[in-house]
Amino acid sequence: MDKRLKIFTESSLRHLEAIDGLPINVEDTSEEQATRNREKRKALVDGIQTLLNKNDKHVRRLEEYRKRLDGEIL
């Protein structure tokens, strides 16, 4: 499970980098379209960040379970 959570985190970060690097506006892009493009990019980034936050909670829970199994937490 730990490996799967780490893979998800790494994959999500790669997606964030890819989204950040996308050229969303060119010279002839209208201001309205540029605004929509920025909003769409922001929505994608927010969605991935939400998933990363949930993933972090699972990572912490897994660490807690491990510590309980090892007897570090009573």
Side-chain angles (χ1 to χ4, degrees), residues 1-17:
M1 182 58 80
D2 185 50
K3 184 176 180 179
R4 292 175 72 187
L5 292 170
K6 288 178 181 176
I7 289 171
F8 179 83
T9 299
E10 195 62 36
S11 176
S12 297
L13 293 175
R14 279 192 217 128
H15 287 301
L16 283 173
E17 288 177 4

Side-chain angles (χ1 to χ4, degrees), residues 11-57:
S11 176
S12 297
L13 293 175
R14 279 192 217 128
H15 287 301
L16 283 173
E17 288 177 4
I19 290 170
D20 188 44
L22 286 175
I24 59 171
N25 297 323
V26 292
E27 294 174 9
D28 60 347
T29 304
S30 68
E31 189 58 37
E32 296 83 25
Q33 185 62 45
T35 301
R36 285 192 298 269
N37 292 347
R38 285 190 298 274
E39 289 170 355
K40 182 67 173 180
R41 178 185 281 187
K42 180 155 179 42
L44 290 170
V45 169
D46 289 345
I48 292 173
Q49 287 175 337
T50 299
L51 293 173
L52 280 169
N53 289 337
K54 290 179 181 180
N55 191 59
D56 287 344
K57 288 179 186 177

Side-chain angles (χ1 to χ4, degrees), residues 55-66:
N55 191 59
D56 287 344
K57 288 179 186 177
H58 292 302
V59 168
R60 285 190 295 276
R61 283 180 66 191
L62 182 61
E63 288 173 359
E64 183 180 322
Y65 290 148
R66 246 193 225 139

